[in-house]
Amino acid sequence: FNFSDFAAKDLIYVDVSQRRRDTLGLTLDKVLAEDYLTSGNAASLCGKLRFTLSPLFSRVGKAALSSIQAWGSSSKPSVSDVLPAPVREAISFLRDLLPSLPAAVVQARATLQVPTIVLTDAMYQRGSSRPAGFDAVYRFPESTGIVPRRMFTFGEADAAFLAALANFSERATYISQLEVLAVLAAISGEAGERLRGQVVHFYIDNQSALSGLHKGYSGCLDMAHLINAFWLRALELRITPWFSYVPSKSNLADLPSRSREALGPLLDAGFVETEMTVPPFPALGIKRGSKRAAASDPTSASPSRDSAPRLL
């Protein structure tokens, strides 16, 4: 526990020792070298990693941890069994993430920070000229000083992204995956930078996407990759995300996700279009050599760009 900012900022930093990080790193290295993990050791490893993955509601890296836990609970590997590719990928990701994680930040007293509102929506129509579209609508509180305070943005999943989804599993629809992508895209690029250091309340009209983002993982590998990427980006931006369900008929983002011809109500209300950055299908990994952050005030509008892991 670090109370250095408690008197001035009501903040407490909770971290694990460097010795524990090093020990966990050696354990993960051994598992990767041997390409083998018993069910008992998988349970033990997950238990040791849970507290280490505590920043940002313990959601960062949770999708990878869930893959290891599922492997340990669903089978009793024999000596000849090698790790499945998804499990090995998850362990490699956690090994790279481990040195980079900052301390968890606990706000000792309730804050009065007004949240930024972000509504997202997606559509999927196989065979159409625009099969996979999504968008986001933003409303920034006046206290942020961000101009314009009301924005909306469009995006489309290209053929390469849809091919990556199909590579995991052929489905009749990818609407849930695209709903998660819409939220990830909403915090990517220049639009995402405007959210840095803020409390952000996301409204989503898809229960599957909402549940996965809230839990931090999904049993579907494609969803797990997207959810994992969202929480890594959220950590990088130092945002505090909250999620709520909004019925489609009440979702402002439902209008532009269907067609540009439906933008009238948004334009009349003073919303301004801005560019959306659509990320490629995320690898379950981080950039090598990411620096580990010293604990810093999560409410700061301009934290260090080296303060958290970066997406590949």
Side-chain angles (χ1 to χ4, degrees), residues 282-309:
L284 189 56
I286 60 175
K287 288 184 176 178
R288 304 298 190 273
S290 295
K291 296 179 181 179
R292 180 171 177 248
S296 60
D297 182 355
T299 62
S300 170
S302 55
S304 167
R305 291 182 180 274
D306 288 327
S307 63

mmCIF file of all heavy atoms in Angstrom, residues 282-309:
data_model
loop_
_atom_site.group_PDB
_atom_site.id
_atom_site.type_symbol
_atom_site.label_atom_id
_atom_site.label_comp_id
_atom_site.label_asym_id
_atom_site.label_seq_id
_atom_site.Cartn_x
_atom_site.Cartn_y
_atom_site.Cartn_z
ATOM 1 N N PRO A 282 -7.595 -7.160 -33.149
ATOM 2 C CA PRO A 282 -6.489 -7.087 -32.182
ATOM 3 C C PRO A 282 -5.816 -8.425 -31.943
ATOM 4 O O PRO A 282 -6.460 -9.460 -31.797
ATOM 5 C CB PRO A 282 -7.182 -6.600 -30.906
ATOM 6 C CG PRO A 282 -8.593 -7.064 -31.049
ATOM 7 C CD PRO A 282 -8.910 -7.013 -32.521
ATOM 8 N N ALA A 283 -4.484 -8.375 -31.915
ATOM 9 C CA ALA A 283 -3.723 -9.515 -31.429
ATOM 10 C C ALA A 283 -3.817 -9.513 -29.908
ATOM 11 O O ALA A 283 -3.955 -8.464 -29.280
ATOM 12 C CB ALA A 283 -2.265 -9.395 -31.866
ATOM 13 N N LEU A 284 -3.779 -10.694 -29.317
ATOM 14 C CA LEU A 284 -3.839 -10.786 -27.866
ATOM 15 C C LEU A 284 -2.426 -10.550 -27.337
ATOM 16 O O LEU A 284 -1.718 -11.462 -26.945
ATOM 17 C CB LEU A 284 -4.345 -12.158 -27.423
ATOM 18 C CG LEU A 284 -4.661 -12.349 -25.939
ATOM 19 C CD1 LEU A 284 -5.675 -11.319 -25.467
ATOM 20 C CD2 LEU A 284 -5.158 -13.743 -25.674
ATOM 21 N N GLY A 285 -1.976 -9.297 -27.367
ATOM 22 C CA GLY A 285 -0.615 -9.011 -26.956
ATOM 23 C C GLY A 285 -0.377 -7.537 -26.767
ATOM 24 O O GLY A 285 -1.225 -6.702 -27.028
ATOM 25 N N ILE A 286 0.810 -7.200 -26.267
ATOM 26 C CA ILE A 286 1.210 -5.826 -26.069
ATOM 27 C C ILE A 286 2.577 -5.630 -26.685
ATOM 28 O O ILE A 286 3.288 -6.585 -26.991
ATOM 29 C CB ILE A 286 1.260 -5.452 -24.571
ATOM 30 C CG1 ILE A 286 2.267 -6.345 -23.840
ATOM 31 C CG2 ILE A 286 -0.094 -5.583 -23.933
ATOM 32 C CD1 ILE A 286 2.478 -5.973 -22.398
ATOM 33 N N LYS A 287 2.956 -4.392 -26.888
ATOM 34 C CA LYS A 287 4.250 -4.108 -27.468
ATOM 35 C C LYS A 287 5.366 -4.475 -26.497
ATOM 36 O O LYS A 287 5.288 -4.184 -25.316
ATOM 37 C CB LYS A 287 4.355 -2.629 -27.842
ATOM 38 C CG LYS A 287 3.511 -2.254 -29.054
ATOM 39 C CD LYS A 287 3.727 -0.810 -29.430
ATOM 40 C CE LYS A 287 2.944 -0.478 -30.704
ATOM 41 N NZ LYS A 287 3.093 0.929 -31.090
ATOM 42 N N ARG A 288 6.384 -5.129 -27.024
ATOM 43 C CA ARG A 288 7.521 -5.471 -26.194
ATOM 44 C C ARG A 288 8.195 -4.203 -25.698
ATOM 45 O O ARG A 288 8.241 -3.193 -26.379
ATOM 46 C CB ARG A 288 8.536 -6.305 -26.980
ATOM 47 C CG ARG A 288 7.956 -7.572 -27.587
ATOM 48 C CD ARG A 288 7.435 -8.525 -26.511
ATOM 49 N NE ARG A 288 7.103 -9.815 -27.082
ATOM 50 C CZ ARG A 288 5.948 -10.126 -27.621
ATOM 51 N NH1 ARG A 288 5.017 -9.203 -27.708
ATOM 52 N NH2 ARG A 288 5.722 -11.339 -28.077
ATOM 53 N N GLY A 289 8.736 -4.293 -24.473
ATOM 54 C CA GLY A 289 9.499 -3.178 -23.953
ATOM 55 C C GLY A 289 8.657 -2.069 -23.363
ATOM 56 O O GLY A 289 9.174 -0.997 -23.087
ATOM 57 N N SER A 290 7.349 -2.304 -23.148
ATOM 58 C CA SER A 290 6.532 -1.269 -22.524
ATOM 59 C C SER A 290 7.040 -1.002 -21.116
ATOM 60 O O SER A 290 7.338 -1.929 -20.373
ATOM 61 C CB SER A 290 5.069 -1.712 -22.458
ATOM 62 O OG SER A 290 4.527 -1.838 -23.738
ATOM 63 N N LYS A 291 7.141 0.258 -20.764
ATOM 64 C CA LYS A 291 7.626 0.608 -19.440
ATOM 65 C C LYS A 291 6.520 0.448 -18.420
ATOM 66 O O LYS A 291 5.367 0.720 -18.687
ATOM 67 C CB LYS A 291 8.122 2.054 -19.422
ATOM 68 C CG LYS A 291 9.321 2.298 -20.330
ATOM 69 C CD LYS A 291 9.728 3.752 -20.259
ATOM 70 C CE LYS A 291 10.907 4.029 -21.177
ATOM 71 N NZ LYS A 291 11.305 5.446 -21.135
ATOM 72 N N ARG A 292 6.909 0.032 -17.223
ATOM 73 C CA ARG A 292 5.933 -0.048 -16.155
ATOM 74 C C ARG A 292 5.731 1.326 -15.553
ATOM 75 O O ARG A 292 6.675 2.075 -15.355
ATOM 76 C CB ARG A 292 6.396 -1.017 -15.079
ATOM 77 C CG ARG A 292 5.370 -1.109 -13.960
ATOM 78 C CD ARG A 292 5.690 -2.218 -12.991
ATOM 79 N NE ARG A 292 4.698 -2.146 -11.946
ATOM 80 C CZ ARG A 292 4.987 -1.787 -10.698
ATOM 81 N NH1 ARG A 292 6.202 -1.469 -10.355
ATOM 82 N NH2 ARG A 292 4.025 -1.736 -9.791
ATOM 83 N N ALA A 293 4.478 1.637 -15.257
ATOM 84 C CA ALA A 293 4.168 2.976 -14.759
ATOM 85 C C ALA A 293 4.452 3.090 -13.285
ATOM 86 O O ALA A 293 4.225 2.168 -12.519
ATOM 87 C CB ALA A 293 2.704 3.292 -14.992
ATOM 88 N N ALA A 294 4.909 4.246 -12.894
ATOM 89 C CA ALA A 294 4.805 4.622 -11.496
ATOM 90 C C ALA A 294 3.358 4.996 -11.276
ATOM 91 O O ALA A 294 2.676 5.452 -12.183
ATOM 92 C CB ALA A 294 5.710 5.809 -11.197
ATOM 93 N N ALA A 295 2.863 4.774 -10.059
ATOM 94 C CA ALA A 295 1.460 5.106 -9.794
ATOM 95 C C ALA A 295 1.246 6.589 -10.014
ATOM 96 O O ALA A 295 2.063 7.414 -9.640
ATOM 97 C CB ALA A 295 1.111 4.727 -8.354
ATOM 98 N N SER A 296 0.143 6.934 -10.668
ATOM 99 C CA SER A 296 -0.149 8.341 -10.933
ATOM 100 C C SER A 296 -1.632 8.591 -10.770
ATOM 101 O O SER A 296 -2.436 7.682 -10.752
ATOM 102 C CB SER A 296 0.286 8.710 -12.353
ATOM 103 O OG SER A 296 -0.400 7.932 -13.298
ATOM 104 N N ASP A 297 -1.963 9.842 -10.631
ATOM 105 C CA ASP A 297 -3.339 10.258 -10.420
ATOM 106 C C ASP A 297 -4.181 9.906 -11.638
ATOM 107 O O ASP A 297 -3.941 10.404 -12.727
ATOM 108 C CB ASP A 297 -3.355 11.768 -10.189
ATOM 109 C CG ASP A 297 -4.758 12.296 -9.913
ATOM 110 O OD1 ASP A 297 -5.704 11.507 -9.993
ATOM 111 O OD2 ASP A 297 -4.878 13.491 -9.610
ATOM 112 N N PRO A 298 -5.190 9.005 -11.499
ATOM 113 C CA PRO A 298 -5.982 8.589 -12.656
ATOM 114 C C PRO A 298 -6.892 9.686 -13.172
ATOM 115 O O PRO A 298 -7.421 9.583 -14.265
ATOM 116 C CB PRO A 298 -6.803 7.415 -12.099
ATOM 117 C CG PRO A 298 -6.962 7.740 -10.650
ATOM 118 C CD PRO A 298 -5.671 8.412 -10.248
ATOM 119 N N THR A 299 -7.090 10.736 -12.388
ATOM 120 C CA THR A 299 -7.960 11.818 -12.837
ATOM 121 C C THR A 299 -7.202 12.886 -13.599
ATOM 122 O O THR A 299 -7.788 13.846 -14.070
ATOM 123 C CB THR A 299 -8.655 12.481 -11.625
ATOM 124 O OG1 THR A 299 -7.657 13.061 -10.770
ATOM 125 C CG2 THR A 299 -9.441 11.456 -10.831
ATOM 126 N N SER A 300 -5.892 12.710 -13.742
ATOM 127 C CA SER A 300 -5.096 13.684 -14.477
ATOM 128 C C SER A 300 -5.498 13.703 -15.930
ATOM 129 O O SER A 300 -5.718 12.669 -16.543
ATOM 130 C CB SER A 300 -3.607 13.342 -14.366
ATOM 131 O OG SER A 300 -2.844 14.132 -15.253
ATOM 132 N N ALA A 301 -5.581 14.881 -16.523
ATOM 133 C CA ALA A 301 -6.004 14.998 -17.919
ATOM 134 C C ALA A 301 -4.897 14.617 -18.881
ATOM 135 O O ALA A 301 -5.158 14.346 -20.035
ATOM 136 C CB ALA A 301 -6.448 16.431 -18.196
ATOM 137 N N SER A 302 -3.651 14.608 -18.414
ATOM 138 C CA SER A 302 -2.555 14.299 -19.328
ATOM 139 C C SER A 302 -1.503 13.415 -18.676
ATOM 140 O O SER A 302 -0.384 13.833 -18.431
ATOM 141 C CB SER A 302 -1.889 15.596 -19.804
ATOM 142 O OG SER A 302 -1.473 16.364 -18.682
ATOM 143 N N PRO A 303 -1.859 12.146 -18.323
ATOM 144 C CA PRO A 303 -0.882 11.249 -17.734
ATOM 145 C C PRO A 303 0.179 10.874 -18.741
ATOM 146 O O PRO A 303 -0.009 11.022 -19.945
ATOM 147 C CB PRO A 303 -1.731 10.032 -17.336
ATOM 148 C CG PRO A 303 -2.900 10.078 -18.250
ATOM 149 C CD PRO A 303 -3.161 11.524 -18.496
ATOM 150 N N SER A 304 1.285 10.355 -18.242
ATOM 151 C CA SER A 304 2.382 9.960 -19.114
ATOM 152 C C SER A 304 1.942 8.915 -20.108
ATOM 153 O O SER A 304 1.194 7.999 -19.792
ATOM 154 C CB SER A 304 3.527 9.390 -18.256
ATOM 155 O OG SER A 304 4.462 8.741 -19.058
ATOM 156 N N ARG A 305 2.422 9.019 -21.331
ATOM 157 C CA ARG A 305 2.067 8.034 -22.360
ATOM 158 C C ARG A 305 2.804 6.719 -22.136
ATOM 159 O O ARG A 305 2.517 5.741 -22.817
ATOM 160 C CB ARG A 305 2.371 8.593 -23.755
ATOM 161 C CG ARG A 305 1.438 9.727 -24.129
ATOM 162 C CD ARG A 305 1.735 10.227 -25.524
ATOM 163 N NE ARG A 305 0.840 11.310 -25.875
ATOM 164 C CZ ARG A 305 -0.369 11.143 -26.392
ATOM 165 N NH1 ARG A 305 -0.818 9.940 -26.606
ATOM 166 N NH2 ARG A 305 -1.126 12.155 -26.691
ATOM 167 N N ASP A 306 3.760 6.692 -21.231
ATOM 168 C CA ASP A 306 4.432 5.446 -20.896
ATOM 169 C C ASP A 306 3.827 4.807 -19.654
ATOM 170 O O ASP A 306 4.404 3.921 -19.061
ATOM 171 C CB ASP A 306 5.938 5.713 -20.642
ATOM 172 C CG ASP A 306 6.674 6.022 -21.933
ATOM 173 O OD1 ASP A 306 6.279 5.467 -22.956
ATOM 174 O OD2 ASP A 306 7.637 6.804 -21.893
ATOM 175 N N SER A 307 2.640 5.272 -19.260
ATOM 176 C CA SER A 307 2.082 4.848 -17.991
ATOM 177 C C SER A 307 1.284 3.566 -18.068
ATOM 178 O O SER A 307 0.734 3.129 -17.080
ATOM 179 C CB SER A 307 1.179 5.969 -17.433
ATOM 180 O OG SER A 307 0.097 6.197 -18.309
ATOM 181 N N ALA A 308 1.206 2.944 -19.203
ATOM 182 C CA ALA A 308 0.434 1.708 -19.313
ATOM 183 C C ALA A 308 0.851 0.952 -20.544
ATOM 184 O O ALA A 308 1.488 1.495 -21.448
ATOM 185 C CB ALA A 308 -1.061 2.029 -19.360
ATOM 186 N N PRO A 309 0.503 -0.348 -20.596
ATOM 187 C CA PRO A 309 0.844 -1.140 -21.781
ATOM 188 C C PRO A 309 0.193 -0.595 -23.042
ATOM 189 O O PRO A 309 -0.855 0.045 -22.986
ATOM 190 C CB PRO A 309 0.274 -2.524 -21.436
ATOM 191 C CG PRO A 309 0.104 -2.530 -19.968
ATOM 192 C CD PRO A 309 -0.180 -1.121 -19.585
#
